[in-house]
Amino acid sequence: MGKHENAHIVWDWNGTLFHDNDAIIGATNAASAELGLAPITLEQYRALYCVPVPKFYERLMGRLPTDAEWEVMDVIFHRYYAEHRGLCGLTDGAAELLAGWIAAGRSQSLLSMYTHDELVPLVRGFGIEPHFIRVEGRVGPSGGSKAEHMVRHLRSLGDVRPGRTVVIGDAADDAVAAQAVGAKAVLYTGGSHGRASLEQVGVPVVDSLAEAVEEAERLVA
């Protein structure tokens, strides 16, 4: 274990370990169509996406959705996503990287803003659940920041030290969540944000999960 003893990664799921961009864009366009909005491309999504999610739709619409509109859009989004996520798979190399991190004597967990009851069987179906000491999805309303969930997640991990923890995700909000607990962050360009928006956050930005793990190793060295 050496200098990496007690090093821990908190992985994001959607857009990071799970390559679900097609399902996300399709679900976003299905929800937006409810309000008569034109479909957007992945590049447009990456340029506009932000958390909390209603702010993202404000960028699309020119105004915040009403509570009633948000409820309808949220239902449509999750229904479409649930119907199409089965066509998506793990990001290239993800399973091998997870196994390698554990084999080196380190620990890792998974924290997602995807609903917990849907997340766990999905992770289990890929056969990677044993690589994590905890798999945790969102419980409660959608659309908020990951920061408060990260605080509870780290507390639940017992001996995991925030200063020896690296959050790997695809969104600026992952870095915000890391900062909330005193952890480090590495952001991956393959998901919801483009490189330009991620680089504004001030943490390392990489183009592959292999690079993300290498950067995590450097940060906890």
Side-chain angles (χ1 to χ4, degrees), residues 118-131:
E118 299 286 338
L119 173 69
V120 172
L122 189 55
V123 173
R124 191 170 292 154
F126 285 110
I128 58 174
E129 186 182 22
H131 296 318

Side-chain angles (χ1 to χ4, degrees), residues 60-139:
L60 287 179
M61 301 167 58
R63 63 173 177 83
L64 277 171
T66 66
D67 289 345
E69 288 171 336
W70 169 250
E71 287 183 17
V72 172
M73 293 168 72
D74 194 45
V75 168
I76 293 173
F77 178 96
H78 285 97
R79 184 172 62 216
Y80 182 101
Y81 181 83
E83 292 171 353
H84 291 79
R85 69 186 184 195
L87 300 175
C88 305
L90 295 178
T91 302
D92 288 345
E96 293 79 8
L97 290 167
L98 293 173
W101 186 262
I102 292 297
R106 308 156 192 163
S107 63
Q108 57 200 339
S109 58
L110 175 57
L111 176 62
S112 173
M113 294 299 284
Y114 190 43
T115 181
H116 183 78
D117 290 344
E118 299 286 338
L119 173 69
V120 172
L122 189 55
V123 173
R124 191 170 292 154
F126 285 110
I128 58 174
E129 186 182 22
H131 296 318
F132 303 108
I133 60 175
R134 186 175 181 86
V135 173
E136 188 172 8
R138 173 182 51 80
V139 177

Side-chain angles (χ1 to χ4, degrees), residues 8-12 15-16 101 146 165-176 178-179 183-190 195 198 201-220:
H8 184 83
I9 290 175
V10 178
W11 290 94
D12 174 56
T16 304
W101 186 262
K146 184 181 278 188
T165 297
V166 180
V167 176
I168 297 179
D170 69 315
D173 191 52
D174 291 300
V176 172
Q179 184 180 33
K184 302 172 178 64
V186 179
L187 299 180
Y188 163 60
T189 62
R195 174 174 279 276
L198 292 179
V201 182
V203 303
V205 177
V206 299
D207 296 318
S208 72
L209 294 190
E211 292 176 273
V213 171
E214 289 175 2
E215 193 63 29
E217 290 177 328
R218 186 188 68 80
L219 290 171
V220 297

